[in-house]
């Protein structure tokens, strides 16, 4: 039906190279139309593919480390691809994956269309979401971190130091992880009986520039905050810079807490007090889930959230 | 001879999963003993494997981006593994690679024993070295950057600003890239007729802590330098911290130049003047070399060095 030779069909089914992209596409489509599902006996390629949104590139190495440690135990290679900010990988990408037939795909904050999920499913390629941004709405098994609890821990730390005017710079409102961290902040403030001043809560992208801009606004207030809980580490470094420009010292004049625990924050001025996401463990958990699915074991739970931990360094102190 | 079935031998030859490690080892050894070389007709897995030494993990994402852009054009996946500081990957690793039979292996500052190179060669798996540390002594094709020229450009920039007491913190003496950057510094100083004060030249590891310790020593000298050219960006951030502790402002009281242009240095105090290594382009060049070798095209040259560029930001100024 496809007008190609049997060896070509075999190459497509077995995910080997040497077939033109449009031929591969035609054969794959015919296979799907006729309800072909690869038999278990056809071994997939010994590779776990990890797909990143460019947003998460600062987190990538730690995640890859975790995936690799599990992959190595199972004698699998780890594949890397980056979507460069497109939230769903392009058509070309999914076809390349179908051709390679990896053991499983791990999507790091990467959205897949239902059609793409269907294509992976037809080919019996399991899909797992690793989601440092905390989106729990996946139909597919996913791994995240406890963003809300991290928000509580960071805010409680500042309260324990004696701060009362604690500002919150949040992430993009559409990101559930940003909402969870913000809700944790509110919960800790409420529990301590401190009303939240709406002027001290601001949104921004998860970027240095937004930390700098929102930080500058907050520090220019007549009754400025004595502490800022940033949405992530990049924003926190932006607040450092806003403080420098305002002639304020961290932590003597201003306490700052981040979120993520990116390695380089310990080299960027006073080592940053932050909420650590266990990215390596999250990568490993996603890989375990993926390997289990590939072996036909349904996961015990479809959403795993690993604990965050407050790491106290030198950017927080009692208010002057 | 191996005491296994024909399908098992076929799985080993074709790099498919489902064979126990010791069986795979026995079959691979017998194949090698009998001079078996996989025929060209057996397609390798559509993957480029990139092996990192842990040393280079800060550089990893940019390199992976470059490799991936070329791999995608050729419909190849990109594999990632990290050696965690072991300079030659362990026995288990090489066997896993042989089993997977990638299209090619790119080693990023990763040494391979002659035996391991032999195993890859028997299996017709090309090996390319991507070497941001500048080691030109490879027998295998390699990609690097122009470290010496970068050293000249950085030093000339400081001389042009009017600095004369310019300190050099170098990398580990055994690293040729460190030596090349140091030689570039000396060449620029000589060309300007400025004698190098031996007290201003110090060695260190390529780490923040070494920049901090050597920086503190230099700033404690009776006749302290007005500028420091660090061995890499991490050392430069250590010098920032040494300056802060000594109550000196960058760049008003001390100019600092780094080497690498890691993305996060623009968020760590005054944005760092540094020498940019084109890591993404280097990754792409290594991938092109690897793809060419896999297609049976010998490289036009076995050592490619891409140009470094001085990027002037805000950590350098004329001396007070």
């Amino acid at each position: 039906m496809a007008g190609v030779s049997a060896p070509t069909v075999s190459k497509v089914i077995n995910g080997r190279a040497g077939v033109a992209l449009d031929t591969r596409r035609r054969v794959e489509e015919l296979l799907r139309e006729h309800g072909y599902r690869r038999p278990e006996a056809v071994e997939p390629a010994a590779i776990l593919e990890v797909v990143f949104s460019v947003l998460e590139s600062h987190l990538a190495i730690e995640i890859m480390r975790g995936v690799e440690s599990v992959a190595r135990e199972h004698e699998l290679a780890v594949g890397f691809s980056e979507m460069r900010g497109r939230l769903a990988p392009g058509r070309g990408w999914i076809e390349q994956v179908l051709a390679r037939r990896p053991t499983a795909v791990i999507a790091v904050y990467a959205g897949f269309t239902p059609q793409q999920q269907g294509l992976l499913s037809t080919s019996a390629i399991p899909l797992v979401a690793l989601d440092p941004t905390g989106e729990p709405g996946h139909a597919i098994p996913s791994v995240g971190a406890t963003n809300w609890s991290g928000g509580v821990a960071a805010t409680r730390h500042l309260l324990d130091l004696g701060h009362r005017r604690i500002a919150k710079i949040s992430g993009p409102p559409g990101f559930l992880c940003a909402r969870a961290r913000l809700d944790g902040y509110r919960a800790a403030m409420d529990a301590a009986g401190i009303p939240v001043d709406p002027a001290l809560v601001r949104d921004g992208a998860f970027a240095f520039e937004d930390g700098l801009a929102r930080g500058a606004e907050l520090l220019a207030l007549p009754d400025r905050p004595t502490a800022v809980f940033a949405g992530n580490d990049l924003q926190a470094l932006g607040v450092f810079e806003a403080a420098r420009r305002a002639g304020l010292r961290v932590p003597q004049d201003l306490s700052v807490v981040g979120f993520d625990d990116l390695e380089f924050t310990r080299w960027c001025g006073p080592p940053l007090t932050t909420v650590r996401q266990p990215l390596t463990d999250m990568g490993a958990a996603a890989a375990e889930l993926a390997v289990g699915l590939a072996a036909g074991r349904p996961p015990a739970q479809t959403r795993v959230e690993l604990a965050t931990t407050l790491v106290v360094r030198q950017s927080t102190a009692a208010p002057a």
Side-chain angles (χ1 to χ4, degrees), chain A:
Chain A
M1 265 182 290
V4 300
S5 69
T8 299
V9 175
S10 166
K11 277 184 186 170
V12 172
I13 289 177
N14 291 290
R16 308 308 283 182
V19 182
L21 191 57
D22 56 348
T23 305
R24 188 183 297 282
R25 192 177 299 174
R26 204 161 64 243
V27 173
E28 287 278 358
E29 270 168 16
L30 282 165
L31 287 170
R32 276 195 300 281
E33 276 169 20
H34 290 78
Y36 177 81
R37 201 166 184 289
R38 289 185 172 81
E40 298 284 329
V42 176
E43 297 286 347
I47 180 169
L48 288 183
E49 286 225 13
V50 187
V51 187
F52 286 85
S53 152
V54 76
L55 280 174
E56 306 306 322
S57 63
H58 297 101
L59 316 176
I61 277 298
E62 291 191 52
I63 292 170
M64 291 296 277
R65 251 175 216 157
V67 173
E68 199 228 350
S69 66
V70 171
R72 191 182 289 210
E73 275 172 38
H74 294 273
E75 302 192 19
L76 300 168
V78 178
F80 167 94
S81 55
E82 197 186 43
M83 288 159 45
R84 303 197 177 78
R86 283 170 293 150
L87 277 191
R91 182 165 167 80
W93 177 86
I94 196 84
E95 278 155 350
Q96 290 192 19
V97 171
L98 291 174
R100 288 196 288 264
R101 294 215 312 112
T103 298
V105 171
I106 297 171
V108 182
Y109 192 60
F112 285 75
T113 65
Q115 197 220 356
Q116 288 171 329
Q117 291 185 30
L119 290 177
L120 290 174
S121 171
T122 310
S123 295
I125 300 173
L127 175 62
V128 171
L130 193 162
D131 210 340
T133 55
E135 172 64 61
H138 295 293
I140 52 178
S142 67
V143 175
T146 58
N147 287 290
W148 185 87
S149 305
V152 171
T155 310
R156 193 174 282 165
H157 167 64
L158 292 169
L159 288 164
D160 287 349
L161 286 169
H163 292 277
R164 292 298 172 265
R165 286 194 63 72
I166 302 173
K168 176 78 186 103
I169 304 177
S170 190
F175 282 30
L176 274 174
C177 69
R179 177 58 191 258
R181 295 169 197 178
L182 176 61
D183 284 352
Y185 157 82
R186 288 188 192 280
M189 294 291 274
D190 286 353
I194 315 286
V196 171
D197 179 350
L200 296 190
V201 179
R202 315 218 164 197
D203 290 336
F206 276 142
F208 175 85
E209 290 71 20
D210 291 70
L212 174 55
R214 297 296 87 72
E217 289 165 18
L218 289 164
L219 297 180
L221 291 174
D223 188 10
R224 66 170 179 81
T226 60
V228 177
F229 172 27
N232 71 349
D233 285 354
L234 295 183
Q235 281 187 355
L237 295 181
V239 175
F240 275 15
E241 180 63 21
R244 271 191 286 265
R245 293 187 189 179
L248 298 172
R249 294 160 305 163
V250 175
Q252 295 91 333
D253 306 315
L254 184 73
S255 286
V256 181
V257 181
F259 207 107
D260 281 343
D261 196 25
L262 301 180
E263 187 182 20
F264 62 80
T265 59
R266 64 204 69 171
W267 307 318
C268 296
L272 184 65
T273 294
T274 191
V275 178
R276 175 163 177 75
Q277 296 209 64
L279 297 167
T280 302
D281 294 345
M282 289 161 73
E288 291 285 6
L289 210 49
V291 167
L293 286 166
R297 292 192 303 272
Q301 39 187 147
T302 55
R303 172 74 182 170
V304 179
E305 297 210 345
L306 301 187
T308 52
T309 348
L310 179 73
V311 184
V312 177
R313 296 203 183 90
Q314 295 161 42
S315 67
T316 47

